[in-house]
Amino acid sequence: MSRLLNFKFFFLLFFVFINSSVQLCNLPPDFWCDSEEIALQCTGSLSYCQSYKLNILENNNKIDLKTSFETLCSDSIAFVYNRLSRTILSSKELLEIINFEAVPWGLAKRKANKQVQCQHGIKECNFNTLFSCSNKFISNDYNRAKFFSCGMKQVINNIKSRDVTSKCGVSKSILTEEEAKTIQQCLNSSIGVQLQYEAERETEKILNFPHFVPQILIGNNDKTMDMQVYQLLLKEKPIIWKTSLNNIKNEGQRINNCTTPPDFWCSTEKIANECFSNEMCLRYKEEIENKKIDVNILYDPEEPSTQRMLSESLKEDFIENNNYNIQKLFTLKLTPTWNEINLKDCNSKVNPNCRNIAVYHCISKHVTNLKLSTNLQLCLLSAKLNKNKKAFQALDEDCRKKYFTIPLHIKNNILHCTQGKNYNPLIKEYEKFISSMKPDKMSRDPWLIINGYSISNAQNYFPILDKMMCIWYNGENHNRSFCGRCEYEESRC
């Protein structure tokens, strides 16, 4: 017996040691299931990601997304009209990824006599019932989405709820005659009343405090304010989630009931315990607290589309965008690349094209002030794009003021760096860096690296980097629940 107890004690100590020695990464949870290497490093196991995938497969290979809304609420109408109708509700591709459900109750109240008091009167109650009925009786996911989108547009057009099935039904090939008839009967029957009871109960699972609409629930493990900014990410995030799921092998077994994407595995204690480990989440948050997100963008200075993207759209939307004070939340480094032609030509000789690329590399290498380095490189890209000027020419002309803010000894280093019989040392440094990139190699231009991780799926974040900085950063005086809030709850601001 004593030997058995000793063995159990040893096994317990070994388990605690293994669990405590897992090296948590500093990578946002969004990426934890993007590769086996990352899953092992960030979660200590493949089991969590594999179980998550198996749960999604059992859910018709879809991620649940529910929205609590009110049919006459201005923010709800804006959400449906400006975002849902342009993404999930109009895309068969996204509806194959997302199991969407609109829950029509919102902030309605049930009085002591069990009568419903809607925020915007009896008309809203009627429309809420209409959409409860359509949710129930339209079997096709895409047609249900189209009816909801069309029906909400009728709200704007001041159409009565009883007339929506004729406006958005058989004539538009959205409803069958039987579905239209059943929905009409449901509107003023006990079935409609019962469906609103169900919507009321479902709303409790969605709404966070403070209560407002619209709000969304992603997965079925727990609600969190962290999910609300995703109202603004419905075009990009479903594709990202699908890509992550495809990166997980169909192996392992279900160890939990997690249907919530990894983005939120550390958002609440309930989600952490059902999807991952609350203890490890606490350690992860401690690891990343008050640490800026490191963003490194690799780019080809000679590629026109990249020149335009960096010097125009990305500059405006991310690099110089300070919504929600994001400039304090990340560091940005621009790292120029040598394309295949330049690698071949510039290893053994010097010509204007080689020198042009070398200028970018030498600035990136020697200007340690990242903001100054970024601004100077963007200026050179703009001069190349708009005036077809080589970098060394733009330094003396278009970008002269920025260049002369650099300390003299650094300018001398840049000058020395760009001169010589060949650029073999620079190329070797570049090739060494490229070969060290993990887990994925660069396969497109430009290429995004987050906190030192090179991940193919990360490239899908370029259009939404500004919002992701607000979401990914954890630190003092930064409330992530306010990320994007003035955009998805416009009436609040």
Side-chain angles (χ1 to χ4, degrees), residues 139-387:
S139 57
N140 181 277
D141 291 345
Y142 187 54
N143 286 342
R144 192 185 314 115
K146 286 200 296 183
F147 181 83
F148 176 59
S149 181
C150 179
M152 285 296 288
K153 289 177 182 177
Q154 304 312 312
V155 173
I156 300 174
N157 295 332
N158 205 28
I159 301 297
K160 293 181 179 179
S161 59
R162 65 173 179 266
D163 297 327
V164 172
T165 52
S166 61
K167 295 282 185 181
C168 302
V170 178
S171 63
K172 290 185 177 291
S173 300
I174 296 176
L175 302 179
T176 64
E177 290 185 1
E178 182 63 28
E179 286 172 335
K181 180 181 177 181
T182 305
I183 291 170
Q184 283 295 110
Q185 292 172 343
C186 172
L187 261 174
N188 298 307
S189 70
S190 59
I191 297 175
V193 173
Q194 179 59 37
L195 290 174
Q196 277 288 277
Y197 270 107
E198 293 176 13
E200 180 182 12
R201 289 192 294 271
E202 199 63 36
T203 297
E204 293 177 3
K205 301 175 184 177
I206 301 173
L207 289 187
N208 297 271
F209 184 82
H211 288 175
F212 63 89
V213 290
Q215 288 197 41
I216 60 174
L217 174 68
I218 303 169
N220 288 304
N221 297 99
D222 195 16
K223 59 189 176 184
T224 169
M225 276 296 293
D226 287 355
M227 294 178 180
Q228 303 320 310
V229 66
Y230 281 61
Q231 294 181 38
L232 308 174
L233 309 176
L234 297 178
K235 178 182 178 182
E236 297 84 6
K237 264 298 178 176
I239 302 297
I240 291 170
W241 290 331
K242 184 66 174 179
T243 302
S244 289
L245 285 166
N246 289 339
N247 289 337
I248 305 169
K249 293 180 180 178
N250 293 329
E251 297 177 354
Q253 57 186 355
R254 293 180 61 201
I255 61 171
N256 55 39
N257 65 343
C258 180
T259 58
T260 302
D263 310 43
F264 312 107
W265 283 5
C266 291
S267 289
T268 73
E269 184 175 346
K270 187 173 186 292
I271 297 177
N273 285 328
E274 292 187 11
C275 291
F276 181 41
S277 159
N278 190 53
E279 178 189 353
M280 293 178 74
C281 278
L282 292 174
R283 287 166 49 205
Y284 164 72
K285 289 179 179 179
E286 183 179 351
E287 170 68 22
I288 66 167
E289 187 174 12
N290 296 321
K291 293 181 180 177
K292 293 183 178 182
I293 309 297
D294 288 328
V295 180
N296 190 353
I297 298 176
L298 281 62
Y299 72 99
D300 180 356
E302 294 200 323
E303 173 55 48
S305 61
T306 299
Q307 294 165 5
R308 186 173 301 280
M309 177 187 175
L310 292 182
S311 66
E312 294 181 358
S313 60
L314 198 70
K315 179 181 178 181
E316 179 181 351
D317 297 337
F318 174 60
I319 298 174
E320 294 184 353
N321 180 356
N322 199 30
N323 287 342
Y324 311 104
N325 295 314
I326 64 169
Q327 295 300 321
K328 299 179 180 179
L329 311 182
F330 70 92
T331 60
L332 172 64
K333 180 177 177 61
L334 295 184
T335 301
T337 63
W338 297 84
N339 60 40
E340 291 185 8
I341 296 175
N342 291 325
L343 282 174
K344 182 179 179 181
D345 290 346
C346 303
N347 242 321
S348 57
K349 61 184 178 181
V350 173
N351 59 39
N353 285 336
C354 295
R355 189 182 176 203
N356 180 63
I357 304 301
V359 170
Y360 289 94
H361 280 269
C362 294
I363 290 172
S364 180
K365 177 180 179 179
H366 291 289
V367 181
T368 55
N369 182 317
L370 292 180
K371 187 172 184 179
L372 183 57
S373 174
T374 296
N375 288 338
L376 186 53
Q377 290 179 71
L378 291 176
C379 183
L380 298 178
L381 288 171
S382 180
K384 175 64 176 174
L385 176 68
N386 297 309
K387 300 179 181 179

Side-chain angles (χ1 to χ4, degrees), residues 209-210 212 224-230 232 322-326 329 466-473 475 477-490 492-493:
F209 184 82
F212 63 89
T224 169
M225 276 296 293
D226 287 355
M227 294 178 180
Q228 303 320 310
V229 66
Y230 281 61
L232 308 174
N322 199 30
N323 287 342
Y324 311 104
N325 295 314
I326 64 169
L329 311 182
D466 57 325
K467 296 176 180 63
M468 299 318 300
M469 293 302 109
C470 188
I471 294 167
W472 289 339
Y473 180 81
N477 302 317
H478 179 67
N479 188 343
R480 296 196 304 163
S481 65
F482 287 104
C483 295
R485 189 159 175 188
C486 285
E487 294 177 68
Y488 64 76
E489 192 195 0
E490 295 177 35
R492 182 178 185 274
C493 302

Side-chain angles (χ1 to χ4, degrees), residues 109-140:
K109 296 179 181 178
R110 195 172 294 278
K111 297 188 288 188
N113 62 1
K114 297 187 179 181
Q115 293 296 309
V116 178
Q117 181 179 347
C118 293
Q119 284 280 98
H120 304 90
I122 187 64
K123 181 179 179 180
E124 181 169 80
C125 287
N126 291 336
F127 268 97
N128 285 350
T129 303
L130 168 71
F131 290 123
S132 281
C133 293
S134 63
N135 285 345
K136 176 72 173 178
F137 294 110
I138 302 177
S139 57
N140 181 277

